[in-house]
Amino acid sequence: MSTELRSRPRNRFRRRLVATVLVFVIVGTAAAVVGSQQGPRLRDVSYDAVGLVSRPAQRVILTANQAVERVSANEVTVRPAAAHTVTSSGNTIAVEFAGPLAYDRSYEIRVAGVRAPGQRATSDLRASVRTGSTDVLALVPGGAGTPDRIVRRSLDAGGATTVYRAAGISEYVRLGRSLVVVTGTDAGSAVDIVPLAGGVQDEDAPVEHLTLPTAEGRVTALHAADDGASFGFEYADTSTGQSRNVGLYVVDMTGTHLPTAIDASGKPRTGAVPMSVGQWAYVPRTESALVRTGGDDLVLVDMSGRTDPVRLGSATYLHGFVGTGTTAVVETGTGIVRLDLTDGDRTALRAPAGSTDAAYLGRIAQLTDDAYLRVVGDVRPDGTLAQRIVRVDGDRAARLPVSVPSDASITAVCPSPNSQFVAVATKSATGSLVSVVDATSGALEASVGAETVDWCSALPSGDEVG
């Protein structure tokens, strides 16, 4: 009797255990059947909203709930259309865009016919991504007794925020989470590296005062590499009261932060006589710089010194770069060409009549492979210049409807990183103004009473051509 009573609880336990296991098996089997019938499902989407609008080769990563078979490019559709490539591995699909996307816009990504290995069922994965907006850093000159200011102006909100203030600011450039700021006069300059927090000067972190090559010198033509690894400038030793050893210097932010001369051969070398410079700028998204020397030679210089310089012939003016960065627009004694920086090949720039039939021909601001802007102008009877901006698309040239006051002159036209907008800097007797306009329609997006914006620092230094 007692043995029978003891066995009953054990039997009930076994029956419950078996039932529970059966339930799990049934549920698991059902889930597997449902999964095989439904196909993979989207589990996660990751991307950098700011990177998508400021740099090429940015990716949107789609993660499925299980491994998927290889996905080809023709199975992925992006709306609005944007050039892209596709790679897949395991349960992830990477959509990589050839160039920066438009600001503040939704993009729909559809991956058709996704299949898990060994399964018949397919499914479509759909994701929506929203790109970031943009802002500009502008230099606002101070009045009597007030310092100059570098301000941040967002294009999707009114007003401006002061990022940094100091007397005698002449140039500045973004460098990762810092600003490099040049202050002073023609007789002597100072270079400061200003840490930022929340987009403005970090008051709790010290400002780094750069040690310049000589006791006194003038700093001009400041540029920074896109990755923040280095910046460079032209430097003239003014310690004797005259400008001597004028040339190119680089500051390696991964090293000692001491300016190092780029010597005549195109290599960084401590204590060397620097390479003479007519114009220069970093090639977008690289640590290489394109330099037009004082003798009009073109040299592609690796500012890190890891690779040898490349001689690319000669040029009389550097206009800028095509968005991908592998092509430069340069002026020669016979015309304007597109220079392939990978092989030195030169092709004539398309220049329809509407872009060249004027007395004044300014700098070319390249937007895409086929489109660019150029400032042109005619001389008025009183001797002043009536300027206008022309947009060239292939073999067609038309005026970009941007209003320029009759008493103002255009000092710069600077494309945004994705070429969607351009900053038009003007100067008149009453002050300076930067207008940010749509690069296609000319519609005004924002304006700020400033001399320049940081988009202009991507252009080679040098005066406008005429």
Side-chain angles (χ1 to χ4, degrees), residues 368-451:
T368 67
D369 286 344
D370 299 316
Y372 64 85
L373 301 177
R374 191 171 198 182
V375 179
V376 302
D378 299 309
V379 180
R380 300 189 184 98
D382 63 358
T384 59
L385 195 64
Q387 294 173 301
R388 62 187 182 277
I389 300 175
V390 173
R391 178 178 171 117
V392 175
D393 289 276
D395 294 322
R396 179 178 177 273
R399 181 171 182 171
L400 188 71
V402 175
S403 178
V404 181
S406 60
D407 64 338
S409 59
I410 299 175
T411 58
V413 175
C414 311
S416 63
N418 68 352
S419 296
Q420 182 179 350
F421 302 126
V422 289
V424 180
T426 58
K427 191 170 186 177
S428 67
T430 57
S432 300
L433 180 69
V434 175
S435 302
V436 177
V437 302
D438 187 281
T440 301
S441 67
L444 181 66
E445 297 289 332
S447 62
V448 58
E451 293 182 345

Side-chain angles (χ1 to χ4, degrees), residues 70-136:
R70 181 180 175 274
V71 175
S72 61
N74 60 9
E75 294 170 322
V76 177
T77 305
V78 178
R79 293 287 182 271
H84 62 274
T85 57
V86 177
T87 57
S88 60
S89 177
N91 67 335
T92 63
I93 302 168
V95 181
E96 182 174 301
F97 293 97
L101 302 181
Y103 294 116
D104 196 22
R105 183 173 297 181
S106 291
Y107 286 82
E108 301 296 328
I109 300 174
R110 175 176 174 264
V111 187
V114 180
R115 186 197 311 270
Q119 293 185 3
R120 294 182 179 181
T122 63
S123 60
D124 291 353
L125 305 185
R126 299 174 185 270
S128 177
V129 301
R130 185 79 184 180
T131 59
S133 184
T134 188
D135 57 27
V136 294

Side-chain angles (χ1 to χ4, degrees), residues 171-182:
E171 299 190 43
Y172 64 98
V173 69
R174 297 193 203 210
L175 187 76
R177 297 182 179 179
S178 302
L179 274 182
V180 181
V181 182
V182 179

